[in-house]
Amino acid sequence: MASSEFAVSFAGKAYDLRHFVRDHPGGVNTLEKFRGKPISQVMRAYGHSRSAYHMLNDFQVASGKDVNLTGGVSANGRIITKDEADKDEQQIAFLEELESRLDWSKPLLCQLHKIAPHYEQWVNSAVYRKCRLFSSPVLESLTFTPWYIVPMFWIPIIVSLGVLQFLDHVYCGGSCEEATMSGFEFIGHVVFGVFLWSLLEYSLHRWVFHYDPGSSVILIQIHFLIHGMHHKVPFDGLRQVFPPLPALFLACILYLPVSMVLAFPLTKLTGALIGYLAYDMMHYYVHHGAPRNGTYLYAMKRYHSNHHFHNHDKAFGISSKLWDHIFKTLVQVKNLGFSLHW
């Protein structure tokens, strides 16, 4: 960027998008041509969600609130009526009112009762901020982690577990008579573990992370802690991978029932942990990476952005779309006809 400032205008107000440019789901290149220009018309034309208008206020450098959606066309060319525009304007204003009930300089977890009746609407309206959950520094430290801590923690565990399982079941001190499986069978169990993880990834994301807590404050707090905060602050790089200690605790809990019904459970666990590590790294990358058009990660970045900002109840796959196909929650992301660059 030629300048540290990235000024745009919306409905007569000034905004600085300098911190948002690389995080923009639509790419740097689509924003760059609007530097120093009004963006009201293009936001309408590309069918931006209410969440986008809501988040825009985090970049405002002039006083006052402004949401003016009157007229325009949607991304598919359909005319937006005055009634529809007025309804959107009212709903975005309501999101601002909800936001004003909370003090973002203080831990949020104990404030969620203030927005409980409208939690689902609030949590799916992203903001470009950092959030704190607990007043206790110890508890708070368990809720975030830099991405590189995850492979540093899990790779030694995966390698150690895999080597021990290979020695126990395949090598057996060099004795073929004592081996309980061949090398190909060992690889098959590991691959099956990866497959099991992919199903678990989808299941957890869809039926646990996206369960409806209703208006119960306790359930709302649990939901916000395990996944809601990721939808509320999706650009916080410290909250996009699972902290290792809570992940280890959950892995132990999930392993116990599985170990009772599957043969060679530790070998399969090795594969499942490989799948989990790949998922967590992909999840971080599709939020902050810059994949090239035509690559698998480029497609998954656009797919996951659709889940965050348009279809919260679909597109649950992060490392794969397989189970979205099977369970009919697949989303067809629009073909743009040009490449996005981050």
Side-chain angles (χ1 to χ4, degrees), residues 212-230:
D212 182 1
S215 58
S216 166
V217 174
I218 293 176
L219 291 180
I220 284 172
Q221 289 174 326
I222 293 173
H223 180 268
F224 191 70
L225 183 63
I226 63 174
H227 192 64
M229 65 176 172
H230 175 56

Side-chain angles (χ1 to χ4, degrees), residues 75-185:
N76 63 7
R78 183 179 63 81
I79 299 296
I80 299 174
T81 68
K82 181 67 165 60
D83 287 343
E84 288 175 317
D86 287 345
K87 183 179 179 181
D88 278 346
E89 195 167 337
Q90 291 167 7
Q91 291 181 345
I92 295 167
F94 180 63
L95 287 175
E96 293 304 312
E97 192 278 322
L98 283 179
E99 217 68 75
S100 69
R101 300 179 190 181
L102 305 176
D103 184 347
W104 279 77
S105 67
K106 298 177 180 179
L108 287 183
L109 208 59
C110 61
Q111 301 183 60
L112 295 179
H113 63 280
K114 299 176 182 178
I115 49 90
H118 310 284
Y119 172 74
E120 185 176 359
Q121 183 179 0
W122 173 81
V123 81
N124 285 317
S125 301
V127 294
Y128 198 83
R129 309 175 192 175
K130 305 286 186 181
C131 79
R132 186 181 181 91
L133 296 176
F134 296 101
S135 56
S136 165
V138 175
L139 287 177
E140 184 67 14
S141 68
L142 294 175
T143 68
F144 62 84
T145 189
W147 71 267
Y148 53 83
I149 297 296
V150 174
M152 288 174 60
F153 181 87
W154 285 109
I155 287 177
I157 293 176
I158 292 170
V159 171
S160 299
L161 187 60
V163 169
L164 289 174
Q165 288 299 293
F166 183 84
L167 294 177
D168 284 348
H169 297 296
V170 181
Y171 182 68
C172 298
S175 172
C176 295
E177 295 179 356
E178 296 181 13
T180 53
M181 68 174 82
S182 67
F184 285 112
E185 289 173 326

